[in-house]
Amino acid sequence: MIQRQFMQPDDMWSRVENDELLYVPVVTIHGSDHAHIYLSGQVPRKPSGEVVGVGDMRTQIRVTCENIGKGLAHAGATFDDIVSSTTYVTDIMEYYKHSDERFKYFKNVRPASTLIEISRLGPPDAMIEITAEAIIEPERLRIQS
C-alpha cells in the first residue's frame, strides 16, 4: 500500500493566501521497500518570508541549500539521499562563478541534475530556486501524526 504525507516544517516558510496554505514544501510517498521525498522549489528565504542575500548569488545558494537540508531532515533524509534536482537561476554565468558553494552540501553524491536560466523567480529578489527528490529506506522516514 502506498502512503502519502504532506509536511510543513515549522522552520520553513509557508505560502498562505486568504488563510489557506497554498502548498507544502515536503511531500513523501512510501511503501514497504522505499520512500520518495519531494521538495518543492526552495529559495533563499527565512521562515519569516524575507529573501536573504539580495544580489549575492553565493549567499543565496547557501541559504537555499540550508532550506533544502531542513526539508530533508524533517522527512528523515540528508543530501546524500538526493537522486534528482532542478536548479533555476536568473543569471547562469553568476551561478557558475559560485557553484562551488553547492558542493558544500552535495558532498558525497552528484544527483541527476538540471540547470535552467529563467527571467524571474517567484520572489523578485531571489536569484536561485532548487527542487529536489530523495529516496530512502522506509524505516528512516519520519512519520507525522
Side-chain angles (χ1 to χ4, degrees):
M1 178 168 78
I2 295 176
Q3 298 179 332
R4 294 170 179 81
Q5 294 187 107
F6 300 89
M7 301 174 162
Q8 177 58 61
D10 292 335
D11 59 350
M12 295 180 79
W13 180 74
S14 59
R15 182 157 194 95
V16 177
E17 292 184 10
N18 301 318
D19 295 323
E20 292 288 334
L21 181 65
L22 293 184
Y23 62 89
V24 294
V26 183
V27 174
T28 67
I29 299 173
H30 60 282
S32 61
D33 61 344
H34 66 283
H36 285 255
I37 300 165
Y38 299 92
L39 272 75
S40 63
Q42 296 301 304
V43 296
R45 197 189 295 264
K46 290 183 179 180
S48 65
E50 174 190 354
V51 173
V52 178
V54 175
D56 179 353
M57 180 65 84
R58 181 171 295 280
T59 296
Q60 290 206 358
I61 292 170
R62 178 181 52 78
V63 174
T64 298
C65 287
E66 288 171 356
N67 287 337
I68 290 169
K70 290 176 185 178
L72 290 168
H74 191 78
T78 70
F79 276 89
D80 289 351
D81 300 308
I82 294 176
V83 296
S84 179
S85 69
T86 302
T87 302
Y88 302 90
V89 296
T90 58
D91 183 337
I92 205 163
M93 295 313 293
E94 188 65 17
Y95 172 80
Y96 282 139
K97 290 178 192 175
H98 306 286
S99 62
D100 62 303
E101 187 70 22
R102 176 185 165 111
F103 298 126
K104 294 176 182 176
Y105 300 89
F106 291 86
K107 296 175 189 175
N108 302 316
V109 296
R110 297 294 185 263
S113 184
T114 301
L115 174 63
I116 303 167
E117 182 179 68
I118 60 174
S119 62
R120 182 177 171 242
L121 293 162
D125 291 330
M127 303 166 68
I128 184 167
E129 181 170 334
I130 302 174
T131 65
E133 178 184 348
I135 299 177
I136 61 173
E137 299 82 7
E139 57 272 11
R140 291 178 48 207
L141 184 64
R142 294 204 174 113
I143 304 295
Q144 306 297 300
S145 52

